[in-house]
Amino acid sequence: MSTDHPPSDSSGRTKAAYQKLSPGATGTVTRGDGIAPSKLQDESANIVTAFSQLLGKPYEPMFQVDTSPKPARQQLSKIPHYSQLDTWDCGVACIQMVLRWLRPDEYWPRNDCVRPSADEMAERKWMIDSAETESVWTIDIVIILQRVFDTDQRRMFDFPLGQRHDDENWEKANYVFFSKKLGCDVAYSQFGYYSKAFDNDEARVKKRFVLAKELNLPVLCVSQLDLEFVIDLVSRDECIAIVLLDNEILKQADEEYTGHYVLLVGISSDKTDIARAEAKCNEGMGSEFCLAIKDPAHKDCIVYVTPALFERAWRASGTDEDIIFIAKR
């Protein structure tokens, strides 16, 4: 289903705004806090380079002023849903949905909500052991992805391949992690969500980032990543993203921050989907598209949210605006 007009978000931005995402563009990372233009230009160039490496080809924005709008993706529920099995394992569940996405289509039945197989339960245990904690941070997810996608690391860390042997599919996957802060913000120790395990988390997370640097993993610190970049990437059939959100904002609850990982699988300009998204909140009304996520804590296989609600939950204090893009090549 397509839209007759370029989509706009709550701030009135349209697809015309995506024109600025072309390689060499300046000012795509924008903040009103006095960051020098030269730094913004450097960040913009780094973002474009990272996207090119992610996609395995020079990054070009899909949305251009002089082309017709891209139709809404038709198969948003292509990835069989995976529900988290505990209160804390949303990040692990998102990784397992990524692996389902990378496996051959014929492996999965038509039913979108597929119960974990015995092999997947073995993979889940391996991931939890690899994380070494029930307090999973985004850098833990990055390390797990690296150990899954890299052949040598899979063997070194004894990943349970089971009967399927998915090496070739996983070798063709790339990822890149963006965050506003590469490390632990000590201010988070005052958050109820982080406070109980913060001391242990801080030590582990520091080691993880040191390891990521030693391995030269695709980890990029940016002052702010524009939502247009996110929309542009997940509008491609070959790209999805694991995103850290404030679940209380996502649920429209008036509670203290609770971190929650979801899988962002695309956008939709279908009027029914937009109506579902707008019914959940009182902000971002009138958008001509919505975002489609797979929430491992939600019974529905696809949850639709307005751009405004998504962005507020993503940029909430506590998330560091963490996002991991994963792409098929």
Side-chain angles (χ1 to χ4, degrees), residues 9 14 21 65 81 91 127 183 186 201-202 260 274:
D9 65 16
T14 67
L21 301 184
V65 176
H81 193 68
M127 291 177 194
V186 294
D201 286 347
E202 184 178 26
H260 184 56
I274 294 170

Side-chain angles (χ1 to χ4, degrees), residues 46-63:
N46 290 339
I47 289 170
V48 169
T49 298
F51 287 167
S52 297
Q53 293 171 346
L54 172 74
L55 299 172
K57 58 186 178 182
Y59 172 70
E60 293 286 350
M62 293 183 65
F63 296 140

Side-chain angles (χ1 to χ4, degrees), residues 5-62:
H5 305 284
S8 60
D9 65 16
S10 59
S11 64
R13 293 173 292 199
T14 67
K15 284 183 179 174
Y18 300 127
Q19 184 77 11
K20 70 180 182 180
L21 301 184
S22 58
T26 60
T28 58
V29 185
T30 56
R31 292 182 69 184
D33 54 5
I35 296 176
S38 60
K39 182 177 180 181
L40 294 178
Q41 292 176 21
D42 289 344
E43 282 196 351
S44 177
N46 290 339
I47 289 170
V48 169
T49 298
F51 287 167
S52 297
Q53 293 171 346
L54 172 74
L55 299 172
K57 58 186 178 182
Y59 172 70
E60 293 286 350
M62 293 183 65

